[in-house]
Amino acid sequence: MTVICLALLVFCLIERQVRRALGSDQKMPGLYPGNQQVRPTGRMILYHLSGLRLRVVGATDPPIIVISRGVQLHLLDLLGLEPTHPRWPET
């Protein structure tokens, strides 16, 4: 039960952050076919982010996030994540 509650909390927080970052309009193009302006839902956000890939170049180099669609970059920007410079722990 705890795991389900935590998953729902993360799901809702992601949706809330994207909607807050969009401002008062809270609508975004590119989530559905036809490029309609719609309010993003947690399901559609996670659907589009599920296509992200992480490419590990070498043991000492930081990983690279491979973005295949423009909507992914927009969502990462709305979530406040920097896709070109992922955090790498200092050793």
Side-chain angles (χ1 to χ4, degrees):
M1 195 66 180
T2 303
V3 173
I4 292 172
C5 289
L6 287 174
L8 286 172
L9 176 65
V10 170
F11 187 85
C12 291
L13 288 174
I14 289 171
E15 182 178 302
R16 178 177 173 253
Q17 176 62 32
V18 169
R19 287 184 179 184
R20 289 181 83 192
L22 285 172
S24 61
D25 187 29
Q26 293 188 351
K27 292 186 178 180
M28 179 179 165
L31 292 177
Y32 291 96
N35 218 17
Q36 331 170 25
Q37 290 266 3
V38 294
R39 288 181 70 179
T41 62
R43 180 178 183 209
M44 288 309 294
I45 294 167
L46 292 177
Y47 169 78
H48 285 289
L49 293 180
S50 69
L52 290 175
R53 300 289 177 250
L54 191 66
R55 181 180 298 151
V56 179
V57 180
T60 58
D61 298 324
I64 299 169
I65 297 173
V66 180
I67 299 171
S68 60
R69 291 177 268 167
V71 71
Q72 292 171 336
L73 182 61
H74 190 205
L75 285 170
L76 290 175
D77 184 46
L78 291 172
L79 289 168
L81 302 173
E82 181 62 45
T84 57
H85 302 294
R87 293 184 185 164
W88 188 254
E90 298 294 325
T91 57

